[in-house]
Structures are given as C-alpha cells and as structure tokens.
Amino acid sequence: MSPTQTLSNPPLKASSIVDTKVLNPENESLGDIREIVIDPATGRVAYAVLSFGSFLGMGGKLFAVPFAALKYNVTIGSYYLDIAKERLEAAPGFDPEHWPSMADEKWNSDVHAFYECTPYWH
C-alpha cells in the first residue's frame, strides 16, 4: 500500500467498539458490546463480549461471540451478527460475575462451533 492509499475499513480502537450496538440481519437489536477479549499470544481479537437481555445495563447474560462472526457496518456504526434472537438466547452465555475460563480449549471450541466460525487460532 502506498502512503496515499487508505484502508477501506481502518483499524478501530477497542474503546470505540465497546458499547457499539449489535444487530441481526432483520435490524433487531441483539445488545451491545461490553468487552473486547484479545489473545495475548497472537495479539488477535478473540471475542466481543455481548450483553443481551439486560435492562439499563443491569442483569442479563453475557455472550462471548467470536469476533470473526461480527461484520462491521461503517455506514451506521454497528455490528451485524447473523443470528436470530431466539438462537442467541440458547447460546453459551455466562453471568457477568462468573466469567468462563477462556483458557479452556473445549469452551473455546464449543463457542466457535455454536457460531459456526473457524477458531481464531487456526
């Protein structure tokens, strides 16, 4: 890339991703991104932690969504996740006070399988 070329989707600061809305293809809100999880060994973004089913940020479940499952829409500044609300409700989630061990290989594999994504470490 020459110095005058620009990226069509430039890198984003993690802080600008937190609190971004996530929509499904029907433009229904699936919640907001609450955290970004980075694999320190590779430097890759592993997951966006989605808050779904909460009221005014209280309660509800959190979901670690493989970052590769999200598609950014520059025009509206939101992410799309190709999943129905009902399917997301059945996704492997966790309580905000009790996060899973993200070092657990089975947990990681199960999450990627649920969202039908190639694991980020492959």
Side-chain angles (χ1 to χ4, degrees):
M1 181 180 335
S2 76
T4 58
Q5 290 178 316
T6 59
L7 297 171
S8 59
N9 285 319
L12 299 171
K13 297 183 299 181
S15 60
S16 70
I17 297 171
V18 172
D19 293 330
T20 301
K21 296 272 182 229
V22 177
L23 308 170
N24 66 12
E26 290 76 35
N27 286 322
E28 298 172 314
S29 176
L30 296 177
D32 301 304
I33 295 174
R34 291 291 172 222
E35 294 284 347
I36 299 297
V37 178
I38 298 170
D39 178 342
T42 64
R44 297 175 106 179
V45 176
Y47 301 100
V49 177
L50 181 65
S51 173
F52 174 71
S54 65
F55 178 71
L56 300 176
M58 305 296 287
K61 274 171 63 172
L62 296 179
F63 301 89
V65 177
F67 203 71
L70 298 167
K71 305 298 177 230
Y72 188 63
N73 183 321
V74 176
T75 307
I76 63 172
S78 292
Y79 284 89
Y80 280 101
L81 177 59
D82 191 6
I83 193 168
K85 278 186 173 184
E86 297 76 23
R87 180 151 164 76
L88 182 60
E89 289 171 349
F94 54 96
D95 181 286
E97 301 300 318
H98 300 97
W99 282 52
S101 169
M102 293 191 175
D104 182 330
E105 188 175 325
K106 180 175 180 354
W107 179 86
N108 278 286
S109 294
D110 289 349
V111 168
H112 281 79
F114 182 87
Y115 292 99
E116 300 175 359
C117 286
T118 301
Y120 69 89
W121 60 89
H122 286 179

